[in-house]
Amino acid sequence: MRDQTIARNYAAALFELGQRHGEAQAYADAFDALDEVLAHDTVRRFLETPKVEVREKQAALRSALDGRVPEPFLRFLLVVVAKGRQGLLAAIRLEYRELLDAAVGRVHANVTLAREADAEAERLLTDRLSVLLGKDVVPHITVNPAILGGLVVRYGDRAMDGSLRRQLLSLKREMMHARLPELPADV
């Protein structure tokens, strides 16, 4: 929990800096460039090992990212490394994305379908969810045939289950608890 709080604080500071410079989206894109660099295990281990001097780590980051990311973002990364928090970069990125999404009215939704959807169906789904939620929705679609039909949408801490499976289970429960009418004795 403590690391998440620290990551959130770093992300909030970077987001404020990005807004001040009008580069909030550019900083989010800069995290993508950073991810490319950190995708190499040797680079990640180099940055995380305590045996390497902070100046060497900072020089390596500057060399890898100079010209690829905005200068204030690069300076932010150098401070993160100087404070020994480079292990939190992935968490900082996630927290930053959440702040940016909230600021621009965007929500990420996990959508489960019973079968693959074509591009047109995905566009319609995105449009309808955006209207329903009142925000720009970015769907992350997965397929699970077990839901039989319909869809399940999860966003934030909420869920909307419109699956055929849930509807059938609900109908089954209703039928099991339904009282049968009394039959006349002469039948």
Side-chain angles (χ1 to χ4, degrees), residues 26-37:
Y27 290 2
D29 297 339
F31 271 113
D32 294 336
L34 176 64
D35 284 348
E36 288 176 25
V37 171

Side-chain angles (χ1 to χ4, degrees), residues 3 12 22 40 49-50 63 74 84 125 139 164 166 168 171-172 183:
D3 284 348
H40 304 284
T49 184
S63 174
L74 183 55
L125 175 68
L164 182 57
R166 187 203 49 84
L168 289 172
L171 181 61
K172 178 182 174 183
L183 293 175

Side-chain angles (χ1 to χ4, degrees), residues 47-165:
L47 286 175
E48 291 179 356
T49 184
K51 294 179 181 182
V52 177
E53 292 289 323
V54 170
R55 287 187 311 272
E56 290 179 67
K57 294 176 185 180
Q58 290 173 323
L61 272 177
R62 184 170 288 285
S63 174
L65 295 172
D66 199 22
R68 293 180 63 192
V69 299
E71 184 62 28
F73 180 84
L74 183 55
R75 286 194 309 267
F76 170 82
L77 289 179
L78 299 178
V79 169
V80 170
V81 169
K83 299 285 187 182
R85 302 288 189 191
Q86 58 272 18
L88 295 177
L89 285 171
I92 293 169
R93 178 185 196 258
L94 290 174
E95 294 291 338
Y96 185 89
R97 289 278 181 182
E98 286 185 20
L99 290 169
L100 180 62
D101 287 344
V104 298
R106 180 172 46 221
V107 65
H108 291 260
N110 294 317
V111 180
T112 305
L113 302 173
R115 61 185 167 276
E116 289 289 331
D118 61 13
E120 179 64 16
E122 284 187 30
R123 186 190 64 74
L124 286 171
L125 175 68
T126 301
D127 292 346
R128 287 192 179 147
L129 285 174
S130 294
V131 169
L132 181 68
L133 300 179
K135 294 183 180 206
D136 187 23
V137 173
V138 178
H140 302 279
I141 298 175
T142 57
V143 174
N144 182 357
I147 69 169
L148 302 177
L151 61 115
V152 178
V153 178
R154 288 184 173 82
Y155 62 99
D157 60 351
R158 295 188 174 171
M160 296 184 293
D161 190 343
S163 67
L164 182 57
R165 180 181 179 86

